[in-house]
Amino acid sequence: MQMKHLIIFALVGMVALLGFNLINGNQREKNREIITASSSSDPNQEGADIDTDTPDIPVTSTSTSTDIASKPLGQQPKATLDDATAKIEQAQQTDQQRLEQMGRAQ
C-alpha cells in the first residue's frame, strides 16, 4: 500500500469514530435527561399504595457533605465519621420502629 492510501484510510477511520462518538453521546445525553426527569418527579406517586395507618418516620437531616467541606481540614475526618455514625443510628432507629410496627401487627 502506498502512504497516501494509509493516510486516507486513517482519516476515514477517524471520521467514522468521531461520528460514532457524536451519535453515542447524544443518546447518552437523552438518557441522562430522562433519568433526571424521572428522579425529580413526585416521589409520592410511586408510594401511593402505602398503608396510611403506619406512623410516619421522621427524617432528620444531619450534616451534609457541604457542611463537612466547610470545616477546617483537621476536622473533616471527624465530621465525616460523625455524619456516618448519625446516619447509621438513624437507620437503626428506623429499623427498630419497623420491627415494633410488625410486632404490633401480629
Side-chain angles (χ1 to χ4, degrees), residues 29-87:
E29 188 63 34
K30 289 177 185 176
N31 289 342
R32 285 187 196 127
E33 290 174 5
I34 291 170
I35 290 171
T36 55
S38 66
S39 66
S40 65
S41 65
D42 188 17
N44 293 331
Q45 287 178 339
E46 296 173 352
D49 58 334
I50 297 174
D51 287 337
T52 56
D53 52 321
T54 57
D56 290 336
I57 300 170
V59 178
T60 57
S61 175
T62 58
S63 62
T64 61
S65 60
T66 56
D67 293 337
I68 294 171
S70 65
K71 293 189 182 256
L73 288 177
Q75 294 178 354
Q76 284 183 0
K78 182 181 181 317
T80 304
L81 286 175
D82 291 343
D83 184 43
T85 303
K87 287 180 181 178

Side-chain angles (χ1 to χ4, degrees), residues 20-30 32:
F20 175 76
N21 285 336
L22 289 175
I23 292 170
N24 197 21
N26 285 338
Q27 288 176 349
R28 285 189 177 176
E29 188 63 34
K30 289 177 185 176
R32 285 187 196 127

